[in-house]
Amino acid sequence: MIRLDRTSTEPLHQQLYRQIRDELRSGSFSDGASRLPSSRALAVELGISRLTVNFAFSKLHAEGYLRSKAKSGTFVAHPLPETFLSPIKLSTARIGRGGSEICPAAKRPSRIADRVVELRDQRVGNQFDLGRTAAGPGISLVPSIPAVDEFPVAVWERLRAQVLARKGAHLLRYASHLGDPDLRKAIAAYLCDFRAVRCDPEQIVIAAGMQQAMLITAMAVMNPGEIAWVEDPGYLQARRAFILAGAEVVHKPLDNEGLMITRARRDPLPKLIYIAPSHQYPLGITMSFQRRQTLLDFARAHDALIFEDDYDSEFRFVGPPLPSLQGLDNSGRVIYAGTMSKILFPSLRLGYIVAPEGLVDAMAKIRNAIDQHSSPIDQATLARFITEGFFLSHIKRMRTIYAQRRDFFVEQFNALLRDRFTLQVPDAGLNMVAWLKREEDFPTVRRITLEIGIGPVPLPLVCIQAKLKPAFIFGFAAWTPAQIRESLVKLASALKAKGV
Amino acid sequence: MIRLDRTSTEPLHQQLYRQIRDELRSGSFSDGASRLPSSRALAVELGISRLTVNFAFSKLHAEGYLRSKAKSGTFVAHPLPETFLSPIKLSTARIGRGGSEICPAAKRPSRIADRVVELRDQRVGNQFDLGRTAAGPGISLVPSIPAVDEFPVAVWERLRAQVLARKGAHLLRYASHLGDPDLRKAIAAYLCDFRAVRCDPEQIVIAAGMQQAMLITAMAVMNPGEIAWVEDPGYLQARRAFILAGAEVVHKPLDNEGLMITRARRDPLPKLIYIAPSHQYPLGITMSFQRRQTLLDFARAHDALIFEDDYDSEFRFVGPPLPSLQGLDNSGRVIYAGTMSKILFPSLRLGYIVAPEGLVDAMAKIRNAIDQHSSPIDQATLARFITEGFFLSHIKRMRTIYAQRRDFFVEQFNALLRDRFTLQVPDAGLNMVAWLKREEDFPTVRRITLEIGIGPVPLPLVCIQAKLKPAFIFGFAAWTPAQIRESLVKLASALKAKGV
């Protein structure tokens, strides 16, 4: 059904090419056995020169629409190139999106993928994707969320423009697995001065946040099946990082001095002990000096490493900040790590490890195999932010704001909800544990918080083996006093309405 | 040696507190057995009230400098809080930085850390840290480096300012493990239109570049000990990602149609096959249509998955870009991945996976445990960059520049070095393989390139089992014609001077 228009500006061979191509694309010749008329026959039929036909044929040939068989003529290629150039035709109807019905392997994730997030997490859909929870405009009082609206974005962007202007295209290239040298220096200086960490910039490994710091460490030091001790209740993300590295996770209970070092004689020894001594999540315990010594002695006796997550150490409201465990150690077995997520803003995805020198190279290799390196632009900007003093002044400013919000939260909470909860007021951090006075209220309170868009984390969700009384972990830092009051009033009236 | 100044504005109790504290800090009482005089005795000695002494003592007590023993009096605490607040005193001299001599565990990286970077990589120090190599101002003709100085940074930063202005603090928060919804949509549309990939935005998983895309995939689908096939010679970073996931890597040879699907009967079957069909690294092979079909048939027969690294597909200089293997598959077993590193700039650290639907959730969990998510600001900026058309026009512009540089490189190389090398001119990508005409020249050429700061990768470095003739992989894309000429002239004269 070829119609050539001799009045068109489109050359005849191009018209012929286009029409045959479209005909083939329409699917009429999909069996692959169709032979085309000879160029001579087609030329006669259409009243054009054979040269024109040959020109169109050779183009179709080059593009894969036609193929020649020696001595038998020209055939329609099968499959046509276009059948895989136009994906819509094939996909949706016949095989469904991605065709997962057809491929069993694509429905069978690895065992690690199943293990890495506990069933208990999946039960509470909205808690799993922290991003979604925290980002939800209606959801308030979610723990561990800093007040990002107080972050001086304009200052940050100005420093970014300055480093881009100064270093230019250099910052767009591949960069060091260990991190920006200026940033490593700036962080080492900060940690020496303010966290009593012993370190040289050469020991600093930049990571994409605390999560990756834990993963890099686990992969750099642990062999599959080796034991990691973690706090229970504790930070589930730590557990996940160790599982991803193939480690076996053993859950250790806590008392009011911190992780308990008890061990039955038959229990295997840990290779690594994860702790957050400055401010434990979720219970807010600060590890006592005595316990720190016991822990270091235990690690020394059994040649174990300690991973110190210096969580929320910057936001201590009572007394001077406690020095790090790493600084107390004199055997180089503490791997110290921190993140900018709470101090600056979570989406920055920058943290750091202070590694014993013997592990720095292994960590660089692991980082290379995980994702190469962190954004050099963000790293250079952060280095300036620290060295120009914005970092310390931001911490100071936020400490004041958080202390005010903490006090306001306590006052309001006790005024409104004292009958139902016992509030445990923290010395540090962005969260607060509220213990239920009547355990049987737990399911109702849980349901109500979900219904009214208030996001405290139920304590049982972060307990693996620990059996603690039911409680909720409230965040107070990211909401203004007005928002705190509004949320607590809403919670109190909803509980009252339900007779709790 | 306490001296109180009664004329000072500093209260007497504060003077007393400060002087005792400084005395203790100086280390005079470091044995921990020192008892202080009673408050009564001290008051008499100094001629002040006992209340003043008690005031100073209670402060020292609270800060951890003193401890009381029932009925025995007040003692100097041991250790003093300050000994771990001032890290310098203890560390450097006595234990060395990090004390790695003392802790055996911190000198024993995991087996994975040893395995993940091959000995062959470590032999060539300067190749391992790609960042350092590529960033070195003097080193030219390094492969796989795009021309970042041609990237429109100003446009990018303007779009960034726009998204920050529009979404504000929202972009500073934790975000989705799967990625920014706008970006997932924009990438799905691009891949459907230009890469003939079949996908729905729900199947897109944003990753921190190709390296992480490979790691997420390996961890989401492979169990320890399962087999991954990789190309040999090939992209060593792929090998590393699979090793990190605990997989066994089997190296498959290539012919001029791509990866060879041969398998001895006793060989274990692969769970995953890694290929770069658009443009293989380092040999530049485009996998033939026939081989693609064979590969898909093989994968279907043995329920294997395919990981398609659509490497350099955008920079094809001859003929139309080839459609993706994923689009050709109709059984949903191809996991397709791409990166922005070469198209835009490497330090952006953004890539994507198009996953079969049954694997998306597993990948989100793995991403969560690796490092949570990518920067939401970068993701939102990239989404705008794509939807506003800058992405396509940048690709087009760079294709023209790279084609010119390729042609210029070929012309100059052949004029200057034809006697020593046979140049293999690629149809696509940023690299070029130059085969040595005399194999015995290899060590000398290798040494000379290092000496004169020219960075081609020796082919043997990326061969694991393959025995190929010696060659060098040159990058031509990131250097101007003048720089290309200068480097090649330098190489030609250095070779001449050494009699090669």
Side-chain angles (χ1 to χ4, degrees), chain A residues 84 98 110-111 157 160 171 174 219-220 223 323 332 342 347 368, chain B residues 84 98 110-111 157 160 171 174 219-220 223 237 323 332 342 347:
Chain A
F84 56 98
S110 63
R111 292 190 295 271
E157 292 297 304
R160 178 182 166 100
L171 290 176
Y174 285 109
M219 288 191 154
N223 292 311
K342 309 291 185 290
S347 83
N368 169 41
Chain B
F84 55 100
S110 64
R111 293 190 294 272
E157 292 297 304
R160 178 182 166 100
L171 290 175
Y174 286 108
M219 288 193 153
N223 292 311
Q237 292 291 89
K342 310 293 184 289
S347 82

PDB file of all heavy atoms in Angstrom, chain A residues 84 98 110-111 157 160 171 174 219-220 223 323 332 342 347 368, chain B residues 84 98 110-111 157 160 171 174 219-220 223 237 323 332 342 347:
ATOM      1  N   PHE A  84      12.136  -3.870  19.666  1.00  0.00           N
ATOM      2  CA  PHE A  84      12.697  -3.547  20.974  1.00  0.00           C
ATOM      3  C   PHE A  84      13.049  -2.074  21.117  1.00  0.00           C
ATOM      4  O   PHE A  84      13.469  -1.623  22.151  1.00  0.00           O
ATOM      5  CB  PHE A  84      13.836  -4.487  21.388  1.00  0.00           C
ATOM      6  CG  PHE A  84      15.007  -4.620  20.472  1.00  0.00           C
ATOM      7  CD1 PHE A  84      16.156  -3.904  20.690  1.00  0.00           C
ATOM      8  CD2 PHE A  84      14.965  -5.510  19.403  1.00  0.00           C
ATOM      9  CE1 PHE A  84      17.259  -4.079  19.875  1.00  0.00           C
ATOM     10  CE2 PHE A  84      16.070  -5.687  18.590  1.00  0.00           C
ATOM     11  CZ  PHE A  84      17.224  -4.968  18.812  1.00  0.00           C
ATOM     12  N   GLY A  98       7.503  -5.448  33.947  1.00  0.00           N
ATOM     13  CA  GLY A  98       8.650  -6.192  34.453  1.00  0.00           C
ATOM     14  C   GLY A  98       8.475  -7.695  34.371  1.00  0.00           C
ATOM     15  O   GLY A  98       9.407  -8.449  34.596  1.00  0.00           O
ATOM     16  N   SER A 110      17.415 -12.166  48.327  1.00  0.00           N
ATOM     17  CA  SER A 110      18.415 -12.891  49.106  1.00  0.00           C
ATOM     18  C   SER A 110      17.948 -13.057  50.553  1.00  0.00           C
ATOM     19  O   SER A 110      17.080 -12.333  51.025  1.00  0.00           O
ATOM     20  CB  SER A 110      19.730 -12.125  49.091  1.00  0.00           C
ATOM     21  OG  SER A 110      19.554 -10.872  49.718  1.00  0.00           O
ATOM     22  N   ARG A 111      18.570 -13.988  51.270  1.00  0.00           N
ATOM     23  CA  ARG A 111      18.226 -14.175  52.684  1.00  0.00           C
ATOM     24  C   ARG A 111      18.557 -12.921  53.491  1.00  0.00           C
ATOM     25  O   ARG A 111      17.850 -12.553  54.422  1.00  0.00           O
ATOM     26  CB  ARG A 111      18.985 -15.389  53.241  1.00  0.00           C
ATOM     27  CG  ARG A 111      18.521 -16.711  52.638  1.00  0.00           C
ATOM     28  CD  ARG A 111      19.112 -17.907  53.389  1.00  0.00           C
ATOM     29  NE  ARG A 111      20.559 -18.006  53.269  1.00  0.00           N
ATOM     30  CZ  ARG A 111      21.188 -18.670  52.290  1.00  0.00           C
ATOM     31  NH1 ARG A 111      20.505 -19.276  51.333  1.00  0.00           N
ATOM     32  NH2 ARG A 111      22.502 -18.724  52.260  1.00  0.00           N
ATOM     33  N   GLU A 157      24.722  27.685  51.523  1.00  0.00           N
ATOM     34  CA  GLU A 157      24.741  27.848  50.063  1.00  0.00           C
ATOM     35  C   GLU A 157      25.781  28.889  49.644  1.00  0.00           C
ATOM     36  O   GLU A 157      26.384  28.782  48.582  1.00  0.00           O
ATOM     37  CB  GLU A 157      23.346  28.229  49.542  1.00  0.00           C
ATOM     38  CG  GLU A 157      22.310  27.111  49.677  1.00  0.00           C
ATOM     39  CD  GLU A 157      22.651  25.874  48.851  1.00  0.00           C
ATOM     40  OE1 GLU A 157      22.831  25.995  47.616  1.00  0.00           O
ATOM     41  OE2 GLU A 157      22.762  24.771  49.450  1.00  0.00           O
ATOM     42  N   ARG A 160      29.014  27.114  49.757  1.00  0.00           N
ATOM     43  CA  ARG A 160      29.048  26.216  48.610  1.00  0.00           C
ATOM     44  C   ARG A 160      29.470  26.972  47.344  1.00  0.00           C
ATOM     45  O   ARG A 160      30.322  26.524  46.591  1.00  0.00           O
ATOM     46  CB  ARG A 160      27.666  25.590  48.420  1.00  0.00           C
ATOM     47  CG  ARG A 160      27.559  24.667  47.214  1.00  0.00           C
ATOM     48  CD  ARG A 160      26.131  24.117  47.079  1.00  0.00           C
ATOM     49  NE  ARG A 160      25.942  23.520  45.769  1.00  0.00           N
ATOM     50  CZ  ARG A 160      25.989  22.207  45.536  1.00  0.00           C
ATOM     51  NH1 ARG A 160      26.181  21.374  46.511  1.00  0.00           N
ATOM     52  NH2 ARG A 160      25.821  21.738  44.303  1.00  0.00           N
ATOM     53  N   LEU A 171      35.941  19.910  41.735  1.00  0.00           N
ATOM     54  CA  LEU A 171      34.975  19.310  42.656  1.00  0.00           C
ATOM     55  C   LEU A 171      33.950  18.429  41.951  1.00  0.00           C
ATOM     56  O   LEU A 171      33.125  17.798  42.601  1.00  0.00           O
ATOM     57  CB  LEU A 171      34.251  20.403  43.450  1.00  0.00           C
ATOM     58  CG  LEU A 171      35.087  21.151  44.482  1.00  0.00           C
ATOM     59  CD1 LEU A 171      34.272  22.258  45.117  1.00  0.00           C
ATOM     60  CD2 LEU A 171      35.593  20.194  45.557  1.00  0.00           C
ATOM     61  N   TYR A 174      35.886  12.524  40.164  1.00  0.00           N
ATOM     62  CA  TYR A 174      36.026  11.471  41.168  1.00  0.00           C
ATOM     63  C   TYR A 174      36.941  11.981  42.271  1.00  0.00           C
ATOM     64  O   TYR A 174      37.831  12.804  42.022  1.00  0.00           O
ATOM     65  CB  TYR A 174      36.631  10.213  40.545  1.00  0.00           C
ATOM     66  CG  TYR A 174      35.659   9.444  39.678  1.00  0.00           C
ATOM     67  CD1 TYR A 174      35.797   9.421  38.290  1.00  0.00           C
ATOM     68  CD2 TYR A 174      34.614   8.729  40.250  1.00  0.00           C
ATOM     69  CE1 TYR A 174      34.907   8.712  37.499  1.00  0.00           C
ATOM     70  CE2 TYR A 174      33.722   8.025  39.466  1.00  0.00           C
ATOM     71  CZ  TYR A 174      33.870   8.010  38.082  1.00  0.00           C
ATOM     72  OH  TYR A 174      32.996   7.317  37.309  1.00  0.00           O
ATOM     73  N   MET A 219      32.134  -4.299  57.782  1.00  0.00           N
ATOM     74  CA  MET A 219      32.731  -5.022  56.662  1.00  0.00           C
ATOM     75  C   MET A 219      34.253  -5.023  56.726  1.00  0.00           C
ATOM     76  O   MET A 219      34.891  -5.944  56.237  1.00  0.00           O
ATOM     77  CB  MET A 219      32.262  -4.415  55.349  1.00  0.00           C
ATOM     78  CG  MET A 219      30.806  -4.766  55.089  1.00  0.00           C
ATOM     79  SD  MET A 219      30.314  -4.355  53.415  1.00  0.00           S
ATOM     80  CE  MET A 219      28.970  -5.546  53.201  1.00  0.00           C
ATOM     81  N   ALA A 220      34.810  -3.981  57.313  1.00  0.00           N
ATOM     82  CA  ALA A 220      36.270  -3.911  57.362  1.00  0.00           C
ATOM     83  C   ALA A 220      36.859  -4.797  58.450  1.00  0.00           C
ATOM     84  O   ALA A 220      38.001  -5.215  58.346  1.00  0.00           O
ATOM     85  CB  ALA A 220      36.724  -2.465  57.563  1.00  0.00           C
ATOM     86  N   ASN A 223      34.387 -10.947  60.030  1.00  0.00           N
ATOM     87  CA  ASN A 223      34.200 -12.041  59.094  1.00  0.00           C
ATOM     88  C   ASN A 223      32.809 -12.632  59.303  1.00  0.00           C
ATOM     89  O   ASN A 223      32.255 -12.536  60.401  1.00  0.00           O
ATOM     90  CB  ASN A 223      35.274 -13.101  59.314  1.00  0.00           C
ATOM     91  CG  ASN A 223      36.632 -12.573  58.905  1.00  0.00           C
ATOM     92  OD1 ASN A 223      36.785 -12.017  57.819  1.00  0.00           O
ATOM     93  ND2 ASN A 223      37.618 -12.718  59.779  1.00  0.00           N
ATOM     94  N   PRO A 323      33.415  13.377  77.907  1.00  0.00           N
ATOM     95  CA  PRO A 323      34.418  13.049  76.888  1.00  0.00           C
ATOM     96  C   PRO A 323      34.126  11.677  76.285  1.00  0.00           C
ATOM     97  O   PRO A 323      33.384  10.882  76.842  1.00  0.00           O
ATOM     98  CB  PRO A 323      35.716  13.021  77.686  1.00  0.00           C
ATOM     99  CG  PRO A 323      35.304  12.720  79.078  1.00  0.00           C
ATOM    100  CD  PRO A 323      33.948  13.311  79.263  1.00  0.00           C
ATOM    101  N   GLY A 332      43.922   1.628  71.527  1.00  0.00           N
ATOM    102  CA  GLY A 332      43.584   1.766  70.106  1.00  0.00           C
ATOM    103  C   GLY A 332      42.563   0.763  69.626  1.00  0.00           C
ATOM    104  O   GLY A 332      42.604   0.316  68.491  1.00  0.00           O
ATOM    105  N   LYS A 342      22.197  14.947  62.836  1.00  0.00           N
ATOM    106  CA  LYS A 342      21.435  15.632  63.884  1.00  0.00           C
ATOM    107  C   LYS A 342      21.997  17.038  64.120  1.00  0.00           C
ATOM    108  O   LYS A 342      21.265  17.958  64.407  1.00  0.00           O
ATOM    109  CB  LYS A 342      21.489  14.841  65.191  1.00  0.00           C
ATOM    110  CG  LYS A 342      21.132  13.367  65.053  1.00  0.00           C
ATOM    111  CD  LYS A 342      19.675  13.151  64.724  1.00  0.00           C
ATOM    112  CE  LYS A 342      19.345  11.655  64.715  1.00  0.00           C
ATOM    113  NZ  LYS A 342      19.951  10.939  63.563  1.00  0.00           N
ATOM    114  N   SER A 347      19.683  15.165  55.630  1.00  0.00           N
ATOM    115  CA  SER A 347      19.836  14.856  54.213  1.00  0.00           C
ATOM    116  C   SER A 347      21.245  15.164  53.702  1.00  0.00           C
ATOM    117  O   SER A 347      21.566  14.853  52.563  1.00  0.00           O
ATOM    118  CB  SER A 347      18.790  15.606  53.381  1.00  0.00           C
ATOM    119  OG  SER A 347      19.204  16.920  53.115  1.00  0.00           O
ATOM    120  N   ASN A 368      35.341   2.135  48.699  1.00  0.00           N
ATOM    121  CA  ASN A 368      35.459   2.075  47.245  1.00  0.00           C
ATOM    122  C   ASN A 368      34.465   1.078  46.669  1.00  0.00           C
ATOM    123  O   ASN A 368      33.785   1.361  45.688  1.00  0.00           O
ATOM    124  CB  ASN A 368      36.901   1.680  46.881  1.00  0.00           C
ATOM    125  CG  ASN A 368      37.065   1.339  45.410  1.00  0.00           C
ATOM    126  OD1 ASN A 368      36.498   2.013  44.555  1.00  0.00           O
ATOM    127  ND2 ASN A 368      37.813   0.292  45.120  1.00  0.00           N
TER     128      ASN A 368
ATOM    129  N   PHE B  84      40.983  12.443  80.895  1.00  0.00           N
ATOM    130  CA  PHE B  84      40.440  12.079  79.600  1.00  0.00           C
ATOM    131  C   PHE B  84      39.785  13.239  78.880  1.00  0.00           C
ATOM    132  O   PHE B  84      39.353  13.115  77.770  1.00  0.00           O
ATOM    133  CB  PHE B  84      39.561  10.813  79.652  1.00  0.00           C
ATOM    134  CG  PHE B  84      38.414  10.797  80.604  1.00  0.00           C
ATOM    135  CD1 PHE B  84      37.143  11.060  80.139  1.00  0.00           C
ATOM    136  CD2 PHE B  84      38.594  10.440  81.921  1.00  0.00           C
ATOM    137  CE1 PHE B  84      36.066  10.975  80.999  1.00  0.00           C
ATOM    138  CE2 PHE B  84      37.516  10.365  82.784  1.00  0.00           C
ATOM    139  CZ  PHE B  84      36.241  10.636  82.332  1.00  0.00           C
ATOM    140  N   GLY B  98      46.584   6.279  68.064  1.00  0.00           N
ATOM    141  CA  GLY B  98      45.650   5.163  67.937  1.00  0.00           C
ATOM    142  C   GLY B  98      46.162   3.899  68.588  1.00  0.00           C
ATOM    143  O   GLY B  98      45.439   2.925  68.708  1.00  0.00           O
ATOM    144  N   SER B 110      39.041  -7.637  57.951  1.00  0.00           N
ATOM    145  CA  SER B 110      38.271  -8.814  57.564  1.00  0.00           C
ATOM    146  C   SER B 110      38.832  -9.429  56.283  1.00  0.00           C
ATOM    147  O   SER B 110      39.551  -8.782  55.529  1.00  0.00           O
ATOM    148  CB  SER B 110      36.820  -8.417  57.333  1.00  0.00           C
ATOM    149  OG  SER B 110      36.745  -7.509  56.244  1.00  0.00           O
ATOM    150  N   ARG B 111      38.474 -10.676  56.023  1.00  0.00           N
ATOM    151  CA  ARG B 111      38.903 -11.338  54.787  1.00  0.00           C
ATOM    152  C   ARG B 111      38.342 -10.618  53.565  1.00  0.00           C
ATOM    153  O   ARG B 111      38.990 -10.501  52.542  1.00  0.00           O
ATOM    154  CB  ARG B 111      38.455 -12.802  54.796  1.00  0.00           C
ATOM    155  CG  ARG B 111      39.170 -13.641  55.866  1.00  0.00           C
ATOM    156  CD  ARG B 111      38.890 -15.123  55.677  1.00  0.00           C
ATOM    157  NE  ARG B 111      37.496 -15.486  55.886  1.00  0.00           N
ATOM    158  CZ  ARG B 111      36.965 -15.824  57.071  1.00  0.00           C
ATOM    159  NH1 ARG B 111      37.707 -15.840  58.149  1.00  0.00           N
ATOM    160  NH2 ARG B 111      35.695 -16.151  57.164  1.00  0.00           N
ATOM    161  N   GLU B 157      23.401  25.000  39.488  1.00  0.00           N
ATOM    162  CA  GLU B 157      23.267  25.716  40.755  1.00  0.00           C
ATOM    163  C   GLU B 157      22.000  26.583  40.772  1.00  0.00           C
ATOM    164  O   GLU B 157      21.397  26.769  41.818  1.00  0.00           O
ATOM    165  CB  GLU B 157      24.512  26.561  41.027  1.00  0.00           C
ATOM    166  CG  GLU B 157      25.771  25.736  41.304  1.00  0.00           C
ATOM    167  CD  GLU B 157      25.672  24.873  42.574  1.00  0.00           C
ATOM    168  OE1 GLU B 157      25.418  25.427  43.647  1.00  0.00           O
ATOM    169  OE2 GLU B 157      25.830  23.634  42.465  1.00  0.00           O
ATOM    170  N   ARG B 160      19.256  24.263  41.517  1.00  0.00           N
ATOM    171  CA  ARG B 160      19.350  23.908  42.938  1.00  0.00           C
ATOM    172  C   ARG B 160      18.717  24.998  43.811  1.00  0.00           C
ATOM    173  O   ARG B 160      17.943  24.710  44.729  1.00  0.00           O
ATOM    174  CB  ARG B 160      20.830  23.716  43.304  1.00  0.00           C
ATOM    175  CG  ARG B 160      21.081  23.391  44.763  1.00  0.00           C
ATOM    176  CD  ARG B 160      22.577  23.274  45.039  1.00  0.00           C
ATOM    177  NE  ARG B 160      22.842  23.301  46.456  1.00  0.00           N
ATOM    178  CZ  ARG B 160      23.076  22.227  47.218  1.00  0.00           C
ATOM    179  NH1 ARG B 160      23.099  21.044  46.663  1.00  0.00           N
ATOM    180  NH2 ARG B 160      23.282  22.333  48.505  1.00  0.00           N
ATOM    181  N   LEU B 171      13.702  19.518  52.074  1.00  0.00           N
ATOM    182  CA  LEU B 171      14.821  18.833  51.423  1.00  0.00           C
ATOM    183  C   LEU B 171      15.980  18.553  52.376  1.00  0.00           C
ATOM    184  O   LEU B 171      16.954  17.911  51.995  1.00  0.00           O
ATOM    185  CB  LEU B 171      15.327  19.644  50.232  1.00  0.00           C
ATOM    186  CG  LEU B 171      14.399  19.716  49.022  1.00  0.00           C
ATOM    187  CD1 LEU B 171      14.971  20.635  47.968  1.00  0.00           C
ATOM    188  CD2 LEU B 171      14.161  18.325  48.427  1.00  0.00           C
ATOM    189  N   TYR B 174      15.312  13.574  56.446  1.00  0.00           N
ATOM    190  CA  TYR B 174      15.443  12.206  55.947  1.00  0.00           C
ATOM    191  C   TYR B 174      14.488  12.021  54.782  1.00  0.00           C
ATOM    192  O   TYR B 174      13.440  12.668  54.705  1.00  0.00           O
ATOM    193  CB  TYR B 174      15.097  11.191  57.050  1.00  0.00           C
ATOM    194  CG  TYR B 174      16.160  11.066  58.106  1.00  0.00           C
ATOM    195  CD1 TYR B 174      15.965  11.575  59.377  1.00  0.00           C
ATOM    196  CD2 TYR B 174      17.363  10.434  57.816  1.00  0.00           C
ATOM    197  CE1 TYR B 174      16.948  11.456  60.357  1.00  0.00           C
ATOM    198  CE2 TYR B 174      18.347  10.308  58.795  1.00  0.00           C
ATOM    199  CZ  TYR B 174      18.142  10.825  60.052  1.00  0.00           C
ATOM    200  OH  TYR B 174      19.110  10.709  61.012  1.00  0.00           O
ATOM    201  N   MET B 219      23.434  -7.612  46.836  1.00  0.00           N
ATOM    202  CA  MET B 219      22.960  -7.951  48.177  1.00  0.00           C
ATOM    203  C   MET B 219      21.484  -8.311  48.182  1.00  0.00           C
ATOM    204  O   MET B 219      21.041  -9.089  49.027  1.00  0.00           O
ATOM    205  CB  MET B 219      23.216  -6.794  49.122  1.00  0.00           C
ATOM    206  CG  MET B 219      24.706  -6.666  49.415  1.00  0.00           C
ATOM    207  SD  MET B 219      25.007  -5.562  50.782  1.00  0.00           S
ATOM    208  CE  MET B 219      26.558  -6.236  51.392  1.00  0.00           C
ATOM    209  N   ALA B 220      20.719  -7.739  47.258  1.00  0.00           N
ATOM    210  CA  ALA B 220      19.279  -8.011  47.252  1.00  0.00           C
ATOM    211  C   ALA B 220      18.956  -9.363  46.630  1.00  0.00           C
ATOM    212  O   ALA B 220      17.928  -9.947  46.939  1.00  0.00           O
ATOM    213  CB  ALA B 220      18.534  -6.909  46.502  1.00  0.00           C
ATOM    214  N   ASN B 223      22.787 -14.943  47.517  1.00  0.00           N
ATOM    215  CA  ASN B 223      23.161 -15.498  48.806  1.00  0.00           C
ATOM    216  C   ASN B 223      24.657 -15.798  48.792  1.00  0.00           C
ATOM    217  O   ASN B 223      25.230 -16.033  47.724  1.00  0.00           O
ATOM    218  CB  ASN B 223      22.351 -16.755  49.089  1.00  0.00           C
ATOM    219  CG  ASN B 223      20.887 -16.422  49.308  1.00  0.00           C
ATOM    220  OD1 ASN B 223      20.568 -15.523  50.073  1.00  0.00           O
ATOM    221  ND2 ASN B 223      20.015 -17.116  48.599  1.00  0.00           N
ATOM    222  N   GLN B 237      35.389  -2.892  39.286  1.00  0.00           N
ATOM    223  CA  GLN B 237      34.487  -2.451  40.347  1.00  0.00           C
ATOM    224  C   GLN B 237      33.269  -3.364  40.457  1.00  0.00           C
ATOM    225  O   GLN B 237      32.685  -3.475  41.528  1.00  0.00           O
ATOM    226  CB  GLN B 237      34.048  -1.011  40.100  1.00  0.00           C
ATOM    227  CG  GLN B 237      35.155   0.021  40.255  1.00  0.00           C
ATOM    228  CD  GLN B 237      35.610   0.191  41.697  1.00  0.00           C
ATOM    229  OE1 GLN B 237      36.507  -0.497  42.173  1.00  0.00           O
ATOM    230  NE2 GLN B 237      34.962   1.091  42.415  1.00  0.00           N
ATOM    231  N   PRO B 323      19.277  -0.135  21.447  1.00  0.00           N
ATOM    232  CA  PRO B 323      18.319  -0.255  22.547  1.00  0.00           C
ATOM    233  C   PRO B 323      18.868  -1.177  23.632  1.00  0.00           C
ATOM    234  O   PRO B 323      19.788  -1.948  23.410  1.00  0.00           O
ATOM    235  CB  PRO B 323      17.103  -0.868  21.881  1.00  0.00           C
ATOM    236  CG  PRO B 323      17.633  -1.575  20.702  1.00  0.00           C
ATOM    237  CD  PRO B 323      18.846  -0.828  20.250  1.00  0.00           C
ATOM    238  N   GLY B 332      11.283 -10.379  32.428  1.00  0.00           N
ATOM    239  CA  GLY B 332      11.519  -9.622  33.653  1.00  0.00           C
ATOM    240  C   GLY B 332      12.708 -10.100  34.449  1.00  0.00           C
ATOM    241  O   GLY B 332      12.713 -10.051  35.670  1.00  0.00           O
ATOM    242  N   LYS B 342      29.170   9.696  34.070  1.00  0.00           N
ATOM    243  CA  LYS B 342      29.797  10.057  32.803  1.00  0.00           C
ATOM    244  C   LYS B 342      28.960  11.090  32.054  1.00  0.00           C
ATOM    245  O   LYS B 342      29.495  11.966  31.395  1.00  0.00           O
ATOM    246  CB  LYS B 342      29.989   8.827  31.915  1.00  0.00           C
ATOM    247  CG  LYS B 342      30.648   7.641  32.593  1.00  0.00           C
ATOM    248  CD  LYS B 342      32.098   7.912  32.967  1.00  0.00           C
ATOM    249  CE  LYS B 342      32.743   6.663  33.552  1.00  0.00           C
ATOM    250  NZ  LYS B 342      32.243   6.311  34.897  1.00  0.00           N
ATOM    251  N   SER B 347      31.223  13.304  40.476  1.00  0.00           N
ATOM    252  CA  SER B 347      31.075  13.556  41.908  1.00  0.00           C
ATOM    253  C   SER B 347      29.618  13.718  42.319  1.00  0.00           C
ATOM    254  O   SER B 347      29.322  13.834  43.507  1.00  0.00           O
ATOM    255  CB  SER B 347      31.890  14.783  42.330  1.00  0.00           C
ATOM    256  OG  SER B 347      31.196  15.969  42.067  1.00  0.00           O
TER     257      SER B 347
END
